[in-house]
Amino acid sequence: DTAVSQTPKYLVTQMGNDKSIKCEQNLGHDTMYWYKQDSKKFLKIMFSYNNKELIINETVPNRFSPKSPDKAHLNLHINSLELGDSAVYFCASSQGGNEKLFFGSGTQLSVL
Amino acid sequence: SQKIEQNSEALNIQEGKTATLTCNYTNYSPAYLQWYRQDPGRGPVFLLLIRENEKEKRKERLKVTFDTTLKQSLFHITASQPADSATYLCALESDYKLSFGAGTTVTVRA
């Protein structure tokens, strides 16, 4: 069973569109995250939720809106996509704090 | 400003040798430091965590050291194998956020 699963694996879309990426974890963890990995491979945190509550919101355009319907799910909705949004987006989870993150396999977003 | 620097982008070594990767940091006071492995097209996978009061930690052929005076961690892969080829990332926590270095890509030649 996949511990942290995110869909879709690949997302190709036009500028200006709205898209969503879904993430689910079956580890029973309380904390979930969204990270962005750019072309230079830097992994940067975007958001963190603990028990459905937003606890970290980095300097991310408000076109990006995370939603956590329950503690096992954290989705990412992106409005008005721009070329610069092209990257790999990773969902992750942990049991409290930042120790030992479990990552999904990533969603490669390409904005044309 | 805070920085996490990993010594080189790429490291090529012969099978059986020891790979040594460096992680230096600036303006962090971490309680612990972590190392992850990332394969192409996959998410990072946790390998080891070392706390500030620990000098060294081992897991199978992996060894990590942590020097809070030098603000440096060394990551060793002993008796390297082609299957160890991957990108290795170090990570530090600050303000409840885990920040990652850019990674070092290790290629082990048979």
Side-chain angles (χ1 to χ4, degrees):
Chain A
D1 282 345
T2 305
V4 180
S5 58
Q6 53 183 109
T7 55
K9 174 76 174 170
Y10 300 97
L11 190 50
V12 181
T13 188
Q14 299 287 331
M15 263 196 318
N17 284 350
D18 303 339
K19 290 293 177 187
S20 292
I21 307 172
K22 295 186 175 181
C23 179
E24 175 182 3
Q25 54 97 1
N26 63 5
L27 298 167
H29 288 165
D30 291 331
T31 309
M32 295 185 72
Y33 312 81
W34 279 109
Y35 277 83
K36 178 180 179 180
Q37 190 169 43
D38 62 23
S39 57
K40 294 186 179 179
K41 304 301 182 187
F42 273 105
L43 258 177
K44 291 189 70 174
I45 190 165
M46 301 172 69
F47 302 102
S48 172
Y49 270 73
N50 183 269
N51 264 320
K52 301 193 297 176
E53 288 193 26
L54 182 66
I55 56 172
I56 292 174
N57 184 349
E58 282 296 274
T59 311
V60 176
N62 57 15
R63 297 182 294 103
F64 289 79
S65 53
K67 284 192 172 47
S68 182
D70 55 60
K71 76 173 196 176
H73 294 84
L74 180 61
N75 303 322
L76 183 65
H77 189 75
I78 315 170
N79 288 327
S80 303
L81 278 155
E82 299 177 358
L83 293 176
D85 297 331
S86 296
V88 182
Y89 293 84
F90 287 100
C91 177
S93 72
S94 69
Q95 185 51 43
N98 276 297
E99 296 192 18
K100 194 173 181 180
L101 267 59
F102 290 78
F103 284 85
S105 56
T107 296
Q108 184 160 348
L109 173 64
S110 300
V111 183
L112 308 177
Chain B
S1 61
Q2 292 179 319
K3 280 186 185 176
I4 302 172
E5 293 177 310
Q6 296 193 237
N7 58 324
S8 60
E9 285 188 14
L11 184 64
N12 295 312
I13 60 169
Q14 188 71 38
E15 183 176 8
K17 302 292 186 185
T18 296
T20 298
L21 286 62
T22 305
C23 176
N24 295 297
Y25 58 91
T26 309
N27 292 326
Y28 282 92
S29 298
Y32 52 82
L33 183 147
Q34 303 181 45
W35 284 89
Y36 288 76
R37 169 184 172 141
Q38 186 173 21
D39 291 284
R42 309 294 295 271
V45 174
F46 172 83
L47 294 175
L48 283 163
L49 181 151
I50 184 165
R51 300 188 185 279
E52 60 180 338
N53 60 348
E54 297 175 313
K55 293 295 183 189
E56 182 180 298
K57 203 143 190 191
R58 291 175 186 260
K59 178 183 174 184
E60 296 171 355
R61 295 181 293 106
L62 306 179
K63 184 178 89 170
V64 172
T65 63
F66 190 15
D67 189 325
T68 55
T69 302
L70 289 179
K71 298 187 185 300
Q72 181 182 80
S73 174
L74 298 180
F75 179 85
H76 306 273
I77 307 171
T78 59
S80 60
Q81 303 168 0
D84 296 326
S85 298
T87 297
Y88 293 87
L89 308 166
C90 70
L92 296 169
E93 182 186 19
S94 176
D95 296 330
Y96 307 104
K97 294 174 290 191
L98 194 64
S99 298
F100 287 81
T104 297
T105 298
V106 174
T107 303
V108 181
R109 303 186 308 274

